[in-house]
Amino acid sequence: MFSITRKICQWLIPFVSALTLAQCEKSPLENPTEDNNSETMQYVLPYYPDDYSSIASWSNRNRWNLANVHDPSVAYYKGYYYMYGTDASYGNAHEGHGHFQGKRSTDLVNWEWVAGPFYDAPTWVADSLNAIRSRMGLEAIPEDDIQYGYWAPVVRRVNVGGQEILRMYYSIVIDNYIKTEKSNTQTNFDGSWTERAFIGMCESTDPAGAVWTDKGFVTTSSSDRGLNYNRSSLSDWNAYFYYNAIDPTYIVTPEGKHYLIHGSWHSGFALLEVDAITGKPLNKLGEPYADSVAELTARYGKRIGTRRASSRWQASEAPEIIYKDGYYYLFMAYDALDVPYNTRVVRSENIDGPYYDINGRNFTNGEGDCYPIVTHPYKFNLGYGWVGISHCAIFKKENTDEWFYMSQGRLPVNVGGNPYSNAIMMGHVRRIVWCPASPNEPDNLWPITLPERYAAVPDYGTITKDSLVGTWEHIKLEYTYGRQNTATALTLNADGTMSGALTGSWSYDVAKKQLKLGNVIVCVEREVDWEATPRRVTLVYAGTEKNLNATYWGKKVK
C-alpha cells in the first residue's frame, strides 16, 4: 500500500482544463528600502505569474518556467542545474509524454523544460513484480493490467571511474491489489493491500539530450509480516509493508561511502548502503518479506527515523539528506500533500543516526514531532499565499557555500474562483539561512528557508540597522494542520522597541545580519516581495528558537 497522500496527487488534476497564458516576463526593479544605483537599475525581477493555468497545456511546456513542479530533485552538471520530479501536472498535461520530465537553469530563476529518461516503464519492473508474486504463490499480473505510478526521483552528480555522470534513483509504484490483481479502486477492494513499489536507477552523461542508460532494480517495498498481506478494511492503515520503496535520497559521505535513504508513511526511513561504482546494494537483499523486523532490516536497511515508533501510518515521508560542518541534516515532509504538507529537519553526527531535532528529541527512536519547521502553509497580506510546501531538494549553489531549498508550492483551494487551483504546482526555490538555536548558542546553527522565493537579487551592500526600522509583515509559522499561518503587522521602532505582532525590544548584529526579536534570533537578507504589485526588492527574515516550536518569517513592507 502506498501513501494516501500520493493518491491525492492523482485526484484533482484530471478535472482541470488548460487555458492560455502570457509569456513569463520581467519587470524593472523597485527598491523601497535603499537608493537605486547603476547596478540595481540593471537588475530585473522575475515576473512569471504564480497561477500558470493559462499555459498548462503540453504545447506550452517551453513557457512553463517553474510551472508543473512536484517533488523536485536538483543536481548541477556541465553548467546547468538539472531538476527532475514526480509525474504530475495541472490537467495531467504530462500524460503520454514520458516520465520524470525535468527542467534546467543556469541561475535558479529561469528554467527551461528538458525531457525525462524514458517513455514507458522499464521491462524489469513487471518482471521483478511477477517473479516476486510467483515466489509468494500468486498469479502473475498481465503487463497491460499493471497500474504504474512514477514518483519522486533523486538525481546526483557522481564520479564513476574518473567520469562525472548524473545518477538518478526513481520510484515506480504498482497500484494493483495483491490478492486479486485488480486495480486499486474502492469497488475492487479484495481484503488485501495494494502491491509494492520499486526503486530503480539510471545514469546519463547527456541529460540535455535525454540520453539515459537504465540500470534496473535497486530495491523494493518489504514486509516484516511474511505472506500476511490481508487488510481488514479500507480504513485499516496498519500497513503490510514495513518499508515503502519510494522517495529515495542519496548521499556520498566524506569517507566516500554511498547511501540510499528511502521510505514514506509506513514504518519510517531505511538506510541502505550501495556500491559506489554500480549504485546497487552492497549486500544481497533476498526476499522482500520476512517474519520479523530484525530479519527484514538486516537485509533491507536500518531504520534511521520514524515520526512515531509504534505507528504504521505516521504521515512522514520524502527524506532528503545533506552533510554540512560535521552533521548529516535529514529533511522530511509531514502530512498530506494537498494543503497541510510542511517540512522539518533533524541532524546526526553519524549517517546511521541517531538523529535529533533542535530540542533533542530522538527522531530515530520516534519520540514525536520534530522541530524546527522549515516550511509551512502561509499567507502574506497581498496574496493568496501557498500550501503544500514540502518534499524538498536541498543543494548548494555551485562554487559557493550558499544552500538552497526547492519544492512545489500549491495555491489554496478556490483561488480566483477556480475549484481546482490546489492542483496548481509552482516550483519554489528558496535560500536557506543558518540560524542560532537560541541567543545562548550562537554556533548551534539550524537551516530555515527564507519566506520569499529566490530571485537572484544583487548585493547592494551592507544591511544597516536603520534600514530595518519600519513596518513588517510577521508570520509565526507554527504547526496548524491544514491551515495557513497568516501575517500580522510588526513595527520596528527607531528606539529599539517593537509594537504590533511582537512587543519588547529588538537589536541587530550588522556583521552577522542577525536581528534579535525578543529572545528569537532571525537572519536578515534581501529578496523579492512576490506579492507586491509590481514586485519589488525588500528585506526579509527567518529564524527560530529551540523552545518556540515555531519559526518566524517576515518581510518589510514600509
Side-chain angles (χ1 to χ4, degrees):
M1 179 66 187
F2 54 88
S3 79
I4 196 169
T5 64
R6 298 296 178 178
K7 287 298 290 177
I8 298 171
C9 193
Q10 300 163 2
W11 15 247
L12 293 174
I13 298 174
F15 303 100
V16 186
S17 62
L19 312 173
T20 42
L21 159 184
Q23 176 73 26
C24 295
E25 299 174 354
K26 292 188 175 183
S27 69
L29 167 70
E30 291 193 8
N31 186 348
T33 61
E34 298 173 19
D35 292 335
N36 292 331
N37 58 41
S38 59
E39 177 188 2
T40 61
M41 288 302 291
Q42 294 174 7
Y43 171 66
V44 289
L45 289 79
Y47 200 66
Y48 47 82
D50 292 334
D51 182 350
Y52 61 82
S53 56
S54 59
I55 53 162
S57 65
W58 180 252
S59 62
N60 282 305
R61 64 189 179 280
N62 291 323
R63 301 167 62 194
W64 283 355
N65 204 313
L66 281 172
N68 286 327
V69 168
H70 200 282
D71 305 338
S73 183
V74 179
Y76 185 82
Y77 189 70
K78 294 185 178 179
Y80 288 90
Y81 297 90
Y82 284 87
M83 182 278 294
Y84 299 90
T86 289
D87 275 14
S89 63
Y90 184 84
N92 278 338
H94 67 285
E95 288 191 345
H97 300 288
H99 303 295
F100 306 120
Q101 295 147 33
K103 305 176 190 293
R104 69 176 187 171
S105 172
T106 58
D107 61 7
L108 300 177
V109 179
N110 302 289
W111 297 75
E112 61 182 0
W113 177 88
V114 293
F118 47 79
Y119 278 77
D120 299 302
T123 57
W124 67 260
V125 179
D127 293 344
S128 297
L129 170 69
N130 284 323
I132 293 169
R133 287 180 62 86
S134 176
R135 296 194 298 272
M136 293 175 68
L138 297 165
E139 294 292 325
I141 304 177
E143 189 165 352
D144 289 344
D145 294 339
I146 296 175
Q147 303 295 307
Y148 295 102
Y150 302 85
W151 292 347
V154 62
V155 62
R156 296 284 190 264
R157 183 181 66 193
V158 295
N159 191 298
V160 178
Q163 182 181 31
E164 286 200 331
I165 65 171
L166 283 188
R167 176 173 285 173
M168 178 192 293
Y169 292 92
Y170 56 85
S171 306
I172 296 185
V173 179
I174 309 301
D175 200 15
N176 299 70
Y177 285 112
I178 295 176
K179 186 180 294 183
T180 61
E181 313 164 17
K182 294 181 179 179
S183 61
N184 176 15
T185 67
Q186 289 190 9
T187 55
N188 282 343
F189 178 65
D190 63 3
S192 72
W193 290 88
T194 51
E195 263 293 1
R196 64 193 63 250
F198 292 90
I199 293 175
M201 192 263 285
C202 57
E203 295 176 340
S204 178
T205 57
D206 182 15
V211 179
W212 292 80
T213 301
D214 192 69
K215 301 291 185 176
F217 174 91
V218 176
T219 190
T220 187
S221 301
S222 53
S223 178
D224 61 330
R225 295 178 173 174
L227 301 182
N228 183 14
Y229 44 77
N230 295 318
R231 188 182 186 194
S232 61
S233 69
L234 288 171
S235 59
D236 174 12
W237 300 114
N238 192 23
Y240 167 60
F241 294 112
Y242 187 83
Y243 288 142
N244 197 4
I246 68 170
D247 296 356
T249 184
Y250 177 44
I251 190 170
V252 180
T253 70
E255 298 78 27
K257 292 188 174 183
H258 292 231
Y259 289 94
L260 197 67
I261 299 172
H262 71 274
S264 81
W265 286 67
H266 296 181
S267 294
F269 302 150
L271 175 74
L272 185 64
E273 187 172 0
V274 297
D275 182 86
I277 303 299
T278 67
K280 299 297 186 69
L282 272 184
N283 301 314
K284 185 178 179 180
L285 296 178
E287 295 294 359
Y289 46 85
D291 293 327
S292 69
V293 170
E295 180 186 351
L296 180 75
T297 57
R299 294 184 284 112
Y300 276 80
K302 178 181 179 179
R303 185 171 76 174
I304 61 168
T306 180
R307 188 172 177 181
R308 289 183 292 272
S310 60
S311 174
R312 300 288 280 249
W313 194 249
Q314 58 181 289
S316 64
E317 64 178 10
E320 170 74 328
I321 193 165
I322 64 168
Y323 180 82
K324 182 182 184 330
D325 298 337
Y327 288 102
Y328 294 93
Y329 288 88
L330 182 62
F331 297 77
M332 74 199 85
Y334 272 15
D335 304 332
L337 61 77
D338 52 346
V339 174
Y341 230 24
N342 64 102
T343 308
R344 311 298 177 94
V345 64
V346 292
R347 74 185 186 190
S348 174
E349 294 179 346
N350 303 297
I351 185 67
D352 62 350
Y355 286 84
Y356 296 98
D357 83 341
I358 197 169
N359 277 304
R361 295 184 187 92
N362 189 323
F363 174 66
T364 297
N365 290 344
E367 292 182 354
D369 284 358
C370 294
Y371 293 87
I373 294 172
V374 181
T375 63
H376 189 279
Y378 73 97
K379 179 185 180 301
F380 283 116
N381 291 333
L382 294 179
Y384 294 104
W386 294 96
V387 300
I389 314 165
S390 198
H391 196 129
C392 65
I394 307 293
F395 59 95
K396 271 207 308 184
K397 192 174 184 180
E398 192 71 4
N399 299 320
T400 75
D401 197 34
E402 292 183 86
W403 287 89
F404 287 79
Y405 170 106
M406 186 175 188
S407 74
Q408 70 278 351
R410 295 176 178 272
L411 290 178
V413 177
N414 292 321
V415 165
N418 180 355
Y420 307 112
S421 59
N422 189 232
I424 289 172
M425 298 164 286
M426 175 62 75
H428 286 200
V429 179
R430 286 181 164 84
R431 281 192 291 169
I432 289 174
V433 289
W434 297 84
C435 299
S438 74
N440 298 324
E441 303 169 274
D443 299 321
N444 182 10
L445 304 179
W446 286 79
I448 304 291
T449 66
L450 292 176
E452 292 285 13
R453 287 165 281 165
Y454 179 67
V457 174
D459 181 2
Y460 304 153
T462 301
I463 298 175
T464 65
K465 181 178 180 180
D466 288 345
S467 68
L468 304 183
V469 174
T471 302
W472 297 69
E473 288 187 13
H474 174 82
I475 297 178
K476 184 180 182 182
L477 283 181
E478 55 188 343
Y479 184 44
T480 307
Y481 187 90
R483 292 177 57 189
Q484 292 172 286
N485 297 139
T486 56
T488 52
L490 169 66
T491 300
L492 300 185
N493 300 306
D495 64 359
T497 62
M498 302 184 291
S499 56
L502 301 171
T503 58
S505 61
W506 67 276
S507 61
Y508 180 60
D509 185 328
V510 66
K512 294 183 177 180
K513 294 192 290 187
Q514 292 180 354
L515 168 63
K516 188 178 179 185
L517 303 173
N519 69 333
V520 178
I521 294 176
V522 298
C523 299
V524 181
E525 295 289 350
R526 291 185 182 89
E527 272 300 352
V528 163
D529 184 342
W530 289 72
E531 288 78 24
T533 304
R535 291 169 180 163
R536 62 188 183 182
V537 174
T538 190
L539 299 175
V540 297
Y541 62 67
T544 190
E545 199 279 330
K546 66 179 183 180
N547 296 310
L548 188 64
N549 284 350
T551 292
Y552 281 177
W553 272 2
K555 72 174 178 183
K556 192 177 182 185
V557 291
K558 290 184 182 178

